[in-house]
Amino acid sequence: MTDHDQRFMRMALDLAQAAADAGEAPIGAVIVDPATGEVVATGANAPIAGHDPTAHAEVVALRRAGAATGNYRLTGLTLYVTLEPCAMCAGAISHARIGRLVYGADDPKGGAVAHGPKLFEQPTCHWRPQVEGGLLATESAALLRGFFRARREQAGRGRVAAGETA
């Protein structure tokens, strides 16, 4: 992986932090044209704010990239995302024909690239991007762990305040 990869993943981490600050799961995505180094689109998790279960960071970025390029096929572009994509996002990545996927933290519970259904390895998958996982995984995982730990603690304080035992 290159210095450019780290720079774009850091951008995705900044987007993930912005999502966390908005109360969303901290996941960010950046789509880049590797030929020019230009950022084509970005996305951050927004299913709560958008009342949209499909508003995962990857899908938000893919939609924006399609609008920016005037094409739903994003062949040759690179998608950086802070967490291993779920089945829905992996399917969208395949349909968009992303050329390269770079993700941060593994997601053994909900991931669908290196875990679970391993979508890109299925014979019915019509497009397989080049995949590289683990870039800035420690930072990505720490952001997620901290976010969900704070939510659990906040929920626990709410139960105690309501007279329940924690």
Side-chain angles (χ1 to χ4, degrees):
M1 295 204 207
T2 68
D3 290 339
H4 292 298
D5 289 336
Q6 292 222 6
R7 179 169 61 99
F8 294 126
M9 186 61 81
R10 291 210 182 278
M11 289 176 69
L13 281 165
D14 289 343
L15 291 160
Q17 182 61 61
D21 294 344
E24 303 277 0
I27 302 165
V30 176
I31 297 179
V32 175
D33 181 342
T36 64
E38 173 190 356
V39 173
V40 176
T42 63
N45 255 23
I48 297 168
H51 310 288
D52 179 359
T54 69
H56 290 196
E58 302 94 311
V59 172
V60 171
L62 289 168
R63 288 177 180 155
R64 290 177 178 167
T69 63
N71 196 338
Y72 74 100
R73 290 191 172 168
L74 305 172
T75 308
L77 300 183
T78 299
L79 169 62
Y80 297 88
V81 63
T82 56
L83 183 66
E84 176 186 350
C86 69
M88 176 185 70
C89 293
I93 290 163
S94 178
H95 283 280
R97 291 171 171 73
I98 287 289
R100 181 172 171 240
L101 167 66
V102 180
Y103 69 87
D106 281 333
D107 186 358
K109 184 176 177 181
V113 175
H115 298 88
K118 299 182 181 179
L119 188 98
F120 301 133
E121 295 177 21
Q122 298 305 314
T124 55
C125 182
H126 66 279
W127 181 267
R128 294 167 180 83
Q130 174 188 347
V131 177
E132 298 173 47
L135 180 62
L136 301 180
T138 302
E139 293 92 330
S140 295
L143 185 58
L144 285 155
R145 275 194 307 274
F147 175 81
F148 287 110
R149 182 181 313 112
R151 289 190 55 144
R152 284 190 302 275
E153 289 170 0
Q154 184 178 29
R157 284 192 298 272
R159 285 193 305 270
V160 171
E164 297 178 25
T165 55

